[in-house]
Amino acid sequence: MSHEDVNPRSTLSVSILSGKGGVGKTNLALNLAYALYKASHKMLVMDFDVGLANVDVLLGVSPEKNLQDLLKPGVMPADVVAEVEPGGFDFLPAASGVPELLELDEDMRDSVFTKLNTVLGEYDYVLFDLGAGIGKTVLALASMTRMRVLVVTPEPTSLTDGYAVVKVLKNQHNIKDFQVVVNQASSAKEAQLTFDRLHGACKRFLDLDIGYLGAVHTDPNVPEAVRRQVPLIKYAPQCRASQDILSLAIKIARHRAESKSHLKAKAILKKITHG
Ligand SMILES: Nc1ncnc2c1ncn2[C@@H]1O[C@H](COP(=O)(O)OP(=O)(O)OP(=O)(O)O)[C@@H](O)[C@H]1O
Ligand SMILES: [Mg+2]
């Protein structure tokens, strides 16, 4: 399956990944989706954290079907997608604690992806909430999305594990495009220093320039929203972390607009060269 396959029409596919677990991927994915949904974009969040699925827990919903059902013949994505908010915010639940899904073999993966391709074009954005680390499924998905958001925190272990993700994706999949979010930052300065450290290592050892999408401050409203099982931006739209995530959503929307015009330019070029 080629890189373009998961990017039908103007859908922007984004994988949210991290080296270390528990850095805030699921919260970020859900709230980016909620923010963009509120701005009238059609959103699909795919919970691909098949080890410990928790999108459904964070949303307080218990969907009937999940990713594992998609492996069965005849079951299509429309049968398993659940509605979070009406008219444009859907999600596809993972299968929690199902070890055989952690490392799907290539045939299974292709069959799941071929099915998924039939619905991706219905959304403006598809956000893949991936599991932490460098498992095969994580790497395969991360290398297929158009955009990759790497979440780190200022903790040194999160940084070294984040660097490992970049290194493996570059060396094994020739992926060179990463956008970093520093979560749980105490200040913009600390976040910038964290990014600079990661960027420095990528530049020095991998000859790679990674991008800085921005920071999300540590905010007590985040765990509170988790406890209440509501998206943070819905629960406390004015709080610091919500404002930070809104800024990130605007930047991601800009990426989509740019890649759309890029596609348009490509189509025009094709027309010209093919008469
Ligand atoms: N900006 C923040 N401020 C305060 N707490 C936060 C922030 N971001 C995340 N957290 C807390 O960290 C915990 C882990 O977040 P989350 O579940 O989104 O991480 P994750 O990367 O998806 O974890 P996993 O790797 O296990 O899937 C959450 O319970 C949340 O309360
Ligand atoms: Mg998670």
Side-chain angles (χ1 to χ4, degrees):
M1 175 172 247
S2 76
H3 187 83
E4 286 298 309
D5 283 335
V6 283
N7 299 312
R9 284 197 279 274
S10 58
T11 307
L12 180 65
S13 52
V14 184
S15 48
I16 318 263
L17 60 158
S18 73
K20 193 173 179 285
V23 294
K25 293 180 297 298
T26 301
N27 259 294
L28 185 66
L30 283 182
N31 283 290
L32 284 173
Y34 188 76
L36 290 163
Y37 160 75
K38 282 306 221 183
S40 302
H41 296 284
K42 292 202 79 180
M43 307 301 301
L44 173 64
V45 174
M46 307 235 326
D47 191 351
F48 251 99
D49 191 354
V50 288
L52 282 166
N54 53 14
V55 173
D56 47 349
V57 178
L58 256 66
L59 290 170
V61 293
S62 22
E64 279 171 32
K65 292 210 170 70
N66 60 45
L67 196 57
Q68 201 187 17
D69 293 291
L70 211 51
L71 293 169
K72 297 177 190 155
V75 176
M76 294 308 283
D79 305 323
V80 291
V81 163
E83 187 180 275
V84 179
E85 299 278 347
F89 183 177
D90 292 344
F91 103 104
L92 201 154
S96 195
V98 182
E100 66 263 34
L101 267 177
L102 271 177
E103 294 297 340
L104 292 179
D105 69 44
E106 221 163 299
D107 285 351
M108 293 283 235
R109 219 159 49 202
D110 277 355
S111 131
V112 169
F113 292 162
T114 305
K115 285 182 182 180
L116 287 175
N117 259 332
T118 63
V119 291
L120 297 191
E122 292 167 23
Y123 298 93
D124 296 317
Y125 300 83
V126 179
L127 308 184
F128 293 81
D129 180 15
L130 299 182
I134 47 176
K136 255 195 292 181
T137 304
V138 167
L139 294 178
L141 276 164
S143 62
M144 276 191 278
T145 54
R146 190 177 291 155
M147 185 177 182
R148 277 153 293 279
V149 173
L150 176 69
V151 184
V152 297
T153 68
E155 274 182 43
T157 47
S158 150
L159 268 187
T160 48
D161 293 355
Y163 169 77
V165 170
V166 174
K167 183 179 169 182
V168 174
L169 277 166
K170 176 171 185 272
N171 291 347
Q172 292 181 12
H173 296 263
N174 200 28
I175 299 295
K176 296 175 183 158
D177 187 358
F178 297 88
Q179 295 295 323
V180 174
V181 168
V182 180
N183 188 27
Q184 299 181 36
S186 57
S187 65
K189 196 175 167 196
E190 184 194 42
Q192 182 69 51
L193 281 173
T194 302
F195 170 74
D196 289 347
R197 218 165 282 151
L198 183 59
H199 180 255
C202 292
K203 187 77 188 157
R204 185 162 168 213
F205 301 113
L206 305 172
D207 192 26
L208 191 66
D209 278 308
I210 52 173
Y212 186 34
L213 201 64
V216 181
H217 285 77
T218 301
D219 189 322
N221 290 290
V222 178
E224 191 50 40
V226 171
R227 264 192 291 278
R228 290 169 187 251
Q229 297 185 304
V230 244
L232 172 76
I233 294 179
K234 194 174 187 178
Y235 166 66
Q238 300 303 330
C239 79
R240 190 70 203 250
S242 287
Q243 293 300 312
D244 292 338
I245 295 171
L246 285 171
S247 305
L248 299 177
I250 291 168
K251 287 191 184 166
I252 290 175
R254 215 172 281 150
H255 273 260
R256 176 164 175 262
E258 280 163 14
S259 60
K260 255 171 95 172
S261 56
H262 172 68
L263 282 181
K264 219 169 160 187
K266 253 170 57 180
I268 293 168
L269 194 68
K270 214 169 160 186
K271 243 186 175 163
I272 295 170
T273 51
H274 292 85

